[in-house]
């Protein structure tokens, strides 16, 4: 384990007079530069009646700027050997490309041009991208087994009017009501230099990077930053709220959800480790017990979703084999959660999760593009890109007692929400019937499907979605 040392990736920062924060991390190992822009705007910033517009606007940002025609941003960069993409999530929208060093000025000019001014968004472009998003929703959420799980869990876990109470993909009815005037207002509000972090990683020296950033972005007018009201942490769920979803899936399943501390806190780290010990792999407790030993589930797992505005959430699930009731699966999940809260993790379990985290973190940092993305993430959401260098040590320092306490405090069975995801027509087999108590919250099937990390470069006929 890498416990006591800083990873040591070099970081140099400068803020332009218009508020744009610039980060440069030189690495001369390859003649490539990753260009990454994190705008601090995501689905959490959407107003009532405008859900899904942050993601839609990400698509619109490829539809031309003052000096670039629709579709040319991607086409020009790809013709110069670049990889290009963009994603939207609850807390951010990011745009990124990895370019040969010789194409760096081109990439910076293109990004500056669309930050400075998009072309007036035409009704035709808006209608086209709205259709692209609807097709994305059909392909990735509506027509994928269990594709709307996160949407149901969000509504079970967060109040409807909470910033995280709706999925990133949003409501198709809201998108239909979105106008070109609304698009212009959204751009003016959020796409301002002071609401963005520009990160350059690769074949570039700090002074050169800052000089180029000033040359291309320095002339963009600084504007007022968006005003955000503080979001208070939510209390634990009460009354065991329950929901039922029915869809043509292979097998019925049960999901439990909890409210967790915000990402960036030690408490969240302990919760995430607890959920990884429970269900982060096939070597974890839930899979070993429910699938391998007891043979009552075909799959089982758990995960945490880190969010920064006051409250994150976590979930555990099990998918039934034929003849297993969802009540039995729910009881089996709770048994394992109680055991972790009572006894804590073993030394072997804790070490395995930490080693897996270290491996995954180092894999991300090995690539210029994902390294730039991590620096942009921690600068935007936590104020300090240097946390990327200390992240492995932070996770390694979490103790078994902290993990046990996190499970006992935040994964309490009485503070869970319960989603029964039942097999409907054309699906596999239904779970065995059972009777359950608790507060019933049946999902409104007219609401939009779930969005996990939303990919966004479906901007013209030459593009397809890919992965934030």
């Amino acid at each position: 384990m890498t416990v006591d040392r800083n990873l040591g990736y070099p970081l140099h920062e400068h803020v332009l007079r218009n508020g744009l924060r610039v980060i440069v991390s030189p690495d001369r190992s390859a003649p490539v530069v990753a260009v990454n822009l994190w705008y601090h705007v995501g689905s959490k910033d959407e107003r009532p009646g405008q859900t899904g517009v942050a993601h839609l606007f990400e698509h619109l940002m490829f539809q031309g700027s003052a000096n670039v025609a629709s579709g040319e941003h991607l086409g020009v960069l790809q013709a110069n050997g670049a990889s290009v993409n963009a994603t939207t999530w609850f807390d951010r929208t990011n745009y990124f490309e990895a370019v040969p060093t010789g194409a760096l000025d081109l990439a910076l000019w293109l990004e500056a041009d669309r930050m400075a001014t998009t072309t007036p968004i035409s009704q035709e472009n808006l209608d086209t991208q709205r259709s692209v998003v609807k097709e994305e929703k059909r392909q990735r959420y509506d027509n994928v087994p269990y594709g709307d799980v996160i949407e149901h869990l969000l509504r079970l876990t967060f109040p409807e009017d909470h910033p995280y109470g709706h999925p990133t993909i949003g409501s198709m009815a809201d998108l239909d009501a979105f106008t070109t005037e609304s698009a212009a207002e959204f751009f003016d509000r959020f796409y301002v230099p002071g609401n963005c972090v520009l990160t350059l990683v690769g074949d570039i020296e700090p002074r050169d990077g800052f000089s180029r950033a000033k040359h291309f972005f320095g002339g963009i007018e600084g504007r007022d930053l968006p005003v955000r009201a503080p979001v208070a942490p939510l209390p634990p769920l009460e009354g065991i709220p329950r929901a039922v979803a029915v869809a043509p899936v292979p097998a019925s399943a049960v999901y439990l959800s909890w409210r967790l501390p915000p990402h960036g806190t030690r408490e969240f780290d302990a919760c995430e480790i607890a959920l990884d010990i429970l269900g982060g792999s096939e070597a974890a407790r839930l899979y070993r017990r429910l699938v391998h030993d007891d043979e009552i589930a075909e799959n089982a797992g758990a995960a945490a979703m880190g969010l920064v505005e006051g409250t994150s959430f976590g979930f555990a699930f099990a998918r039934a084999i034929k003849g297993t009731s969802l009540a039995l699966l729910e009881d089996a999940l709770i048994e394992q959660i109680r055991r972790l809260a009572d006894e804590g993790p073993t030394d072997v379990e804790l070490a395995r999760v930490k080693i897996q985290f270290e491996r995954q973190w180092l894999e991300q940092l090995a690539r210029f593009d994902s390294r730039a993305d991590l620096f942009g993430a921690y600068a935007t959401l936590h104020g300090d890109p240097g946390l990327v260098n200390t992240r492995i040590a932070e996770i390694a320092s979490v103790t078994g007692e902290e993990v046990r306490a996190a499970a006992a405090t935040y994964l309490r069975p009485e503070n869970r929400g319960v989603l029964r995801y039942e097999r409907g027509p054309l699906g596999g087999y239904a779970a065995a019937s059972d009777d359950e108590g608790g507060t019933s919250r049946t999902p409104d099937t007219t609401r939009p499907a779930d969005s996990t990390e939303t990919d966004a470069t479906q901007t013209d006929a030459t593009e397809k979605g890919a992965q934030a």
Side-chain angles (χ1 to χ4, degrees), residues 256 278 285-286 289-290 294 296 328-343 413:
L256 311 183
L278 285 167
R285 292 188 180 193
L286 295 179
R289 181 60 183 268
L290 277 65
D294 294 349
I296 58 175
L328 178 61
L329 286 184
E330 185 176 345
D331 289 343
L333 290 172
I334 291 172
E335 178 188 1
Q336 294 305 310
I337 292 162
R338 288 191 191 278
R339 180 180 161 219
L340 180 62
D342 290 342
E343 302 172 4

Coordinates of all heavy atoms in Angstrom, one line a residue, residues 256 278 285-286 289-290 294 296 328-343 413:
L256 N -32.1 -1.5 -1.4 CA -32.2 -0.7 -0.2 C -31.3 0.6 -0.4 O -30.2 0.5 -1.0 CB -31.6 -1.5 1.0 CG -32.1 -2.9 1.2 CD1 -31.5 -3.5 2.5 CD2 -33.7 -3.0 1.2
L278 N -19.3 -4.7 1.7 CA -20.6 -5.4 1.6 C -20.8 -5.9 0.2 O -21.2 -7.1 0.0 CB -21.7 -4.5 2.0 CG -21.9 -4.3 3.5 CD1 -22.9 -3.2 3.7 CD2 -22.4 -5.6 4.2
R285 N -19.1 -9.5 0.8 CA -20.0 -10.3 1.7 C -21.3 -10.7 1.1 O -21.8 -11.8 1.2 CB -20.2 -9.6 3.0 CG -19.0 -9.4 3.9 CD -19.4 -8.8 5.2 NE -18.2 -8.7 6.1 CZ -18.3 -8.4 7.4 NH1 -19.4 -8.3 8.0 NH2 -17.2 -8.3 8.1
L286 N -22.0 -9.7 0.4 CA -23.3 -10.0 -0.1 C -23.3 -11.0 -1.2 O -24.1 -12.0 -1.2 CB -23.9 -8.7 -0.6 CG -24.2 -7.6 0.4 CD1 -24.8 -6.4 -0.3 CD2 -25.1 -8.1 1.5
R289 N -22.4 -14.5 0.4 CA -23.4 -15.2 1.2 C -24.7 -15.5 0.4 O -25.2 -16.6 0.4 CB -23.7 -14.2 2.4 CG -24.8 -14.8 3.3 CD -24.3 -16.2 3.9 NE -25.3 -16.7 4.8 CZ -25.4 -16.5 6.1 NH1 -24.5 -15.8 6.7 NH2 -26.3 -17.1 6.8
L290 N -25.2 -14.5 -0.3 CA -26.5 -14.7 -1.0 C -26.4 -15.5 -2.3 O -27.3 -16.2 -2.6 CB -27.1 -13.3 -1.3 CG -27.9 -12.6 -0.1 CD1 -27.0 -12.2 1.0 CD2 -28.6 -11.4 -0.6
D294 N -25.7 -19.3 0.1 CA -27.1 -19.6 0.3 C -27.9 -19.9 -1.0 O -29.0 -20.4 -1.0 CB -27.8 -18.5 1.0 CG -27.3 -18.3 2.5 OD1 -26.6 -19.2 2.9 OD2 -27.6 -17.3 3.1
I296 N -29.6 -18.0 -3.0 CA -31.0 -17.4 -3.0 C -31.0 -16.2 -4.0 O -32.1 -15.6 -4.2 CB -31.4 -16.9 -1.6 CG1 -30.5 -15.9 -1.0 CG2 -31.6 -18.1 -0.7 CD1 -31.0 -15.3 0.3
L328 N -37.4 -12.3 1.6 CA -36.3 -13.1 2.0 C -35.0 -12.4 1.7 O -34.0 -12.4 2.5 CB -36.3 -14.5 1.4 CG -35.2 -15.5 1.8 CD1 -35.1 -15.7 3.3 CD2 -35.3 -16.8 1.0
L329 N -34.9 -11.9 0.4 CA -33.7 -11.2 0.0 C -33.4 -10.0 0.9 O -32.3 -9.7 1.3 CB -33.8 -10.8 -1.5 CG -33.6 -11.9 -2.5 CD1 -33.6 -11.3 -3.9 CD2 -32.3 -12.7 -2.3
E330 N -34.5 -9.2 1.2 CA -34.4 -8.0 2.0 C -33.8 -8.4 3.4 O -32.9 -7.7 3.9 CB -35.7 -7.3 2.1 CG -35.6 -6.0 2.8 CD -37.0 -5.3 2.8 OE1 -37.9 -5.6 2.0 OE2 -37.1 -4.3 3.7
D331 N -34.4 -9.4 3.9 CA -33.9 -9.9 5.3 C -32.4 -10.3 5.2 O -31.7 -10.0 6.1 CB -34.8 -11.0 5.8 CG -36.2 -10.6 6.2 OD1 -36.4 -9.4 6.4 OD2 -37.0 -11.5 6.3
A332 N -32.1 -11.0 4.1 CA -30.7 -11.4 4.0 C -29.7 -10.2 3.9 O -28.6 -10.2 4.4 CB -30.5 -12.4 2.8
L333 N -30.1 -9.2 3.1 CA -29.3 -8.0 3.0 C -29.1 -7.3 4.4 O -28.0 -7.0 4.8 CB -30.0 -7.0 2.0 CG -30.0 -7.4 0.5 CD1 -30.8 -6.4 -0.3 CD2 -28.5 -7.4 0.0
I334 N -30.2 -7.2 5.1 CA -30.2 -6.6 6.4 C -29.3 -7.3 7.4 O -28.6 -6.8 8.2 CB -31.6 -6.4 6.9 CG1 -32.4 -5.4 6.1 CG2 -31.6 -6.0 8.4 CD1 -33.8 -5.3 6.4
E335 N -29.4 -8.6 7.3 CA -28.5 -9.5 8.2 C -27.1 -9.1 8.0 O -26.3 -9.0 9.0 CB -28.8 -10.9 7.9 CG -27.9 -11.9 8.8 CD -28.1 -13.3 8.4 OE1 -28.8 -13.6 7.4 OE2 -27.4 -14.2 9.0
Q336 N -26.6 -9.0 6.8 CA -25.2 -8.8 6.5 C -24.8 -7.3 6.9 O -23.7 -7.1 7.4 CB -24.9 -9.0 5.0 CG -25.0 -10.5 4.6 CD -24.2 -11.4 5.5 OE1 -23.0 -11.1 5.7 NE2 -24.8 -12.4 6.0
I337 N -25.7 -6.4 6.7 CA -25.5 -5.0 7.1 C -25.4 -4.9 8.6 O -24.5 -4.3 9.2 CB -26.6 -4.1 6.5 CG1 -26.5 -4.1 5.0 CG2 -26.5 -2.7 7.1 CD1 -27.7 -3.6 4.3
R338 N -26.3 -5.6 9.3 CA -26.2 -5.6 10.8 C -24.9 -6.2 11.3 O -24.3 -5.7 12.2 CB -27.4 -6.3 11.4 CG -28.7 -5.6 11.3 CD -29.8 -6.3 12.1 NE -31.1 -5.8 11.9 CZ -31.6 -4.7 12.4 NH1 -30.9 -4.0 13.2 NH2 -32.9 -4.4 12.2
R339 N -24.5 -7.2 10.7 CA -23.3 -7.9 11.1 C -22.1 -7.0 10.9 O -21.2 -6.9 11.8 CB -23.1 -9.2 10.2 CG -21.9 -10.0 10.6 CD -21.7 -11.2 9.8 NE -20.4 -11.7 9.8 CZ -19.7 -12.2 8.7 NH1 -20.4 -12.3 7.6 NH2 -18.5 -12.7 8.9
L340 N -22.0 -6.3 9.8 CA -20.9 -5.3 9.6 C -20.9 -4.2 10.7 O -19.9 -3.8 11.2 CB -20.9 -4.8 8.2 CG -19.8 -3.8 7.9 CD1 -18.4 -4.5 8.0 CD2 -20.0 -3.2 6.5
A341 N -22.1 -3.7 11.0 CA -22.3 -2.7 11.9 C -21.9 -3.1 13.3 O -21.4 -2.4 14.2 CB -23.7 -2.1 11.9
D342 N -22.2 -4.4 13.6 CA -21.9 -4.9 15.0 C -20.4 -5.3 15.1 O -19.7 -5.1 16.1 CB -22.7 -6.2 15.2 CG -24.2 -5.8 15.4 OD1 -24.5 -4.6 15.7 OD2 -25.1 -6.7 15.3
E343 N -19.8 -6.0 14.1 CA -18.5 -6.6 14.2 C -17.4 -5.8 13.5 O -16.2 -6.0 13.8 CB -18.6 -8.0 13.7 CG -19.6 -8.9 14.3 CD -19.7 -10.3 13.6 OE1 -19.0 -10.5 12.7 OE2 -20.6 -11.1 14.0
P413 N -30.8 -0.3 9.4 CA -31.9 -0.8 8.7 C -33.2 0.0 8.8 O -34.0 0.1 7.9 CB -32.1 -2.2 9.3 CG -30.7 -2.6 9.7 CD -30.1 -1.3 10.2

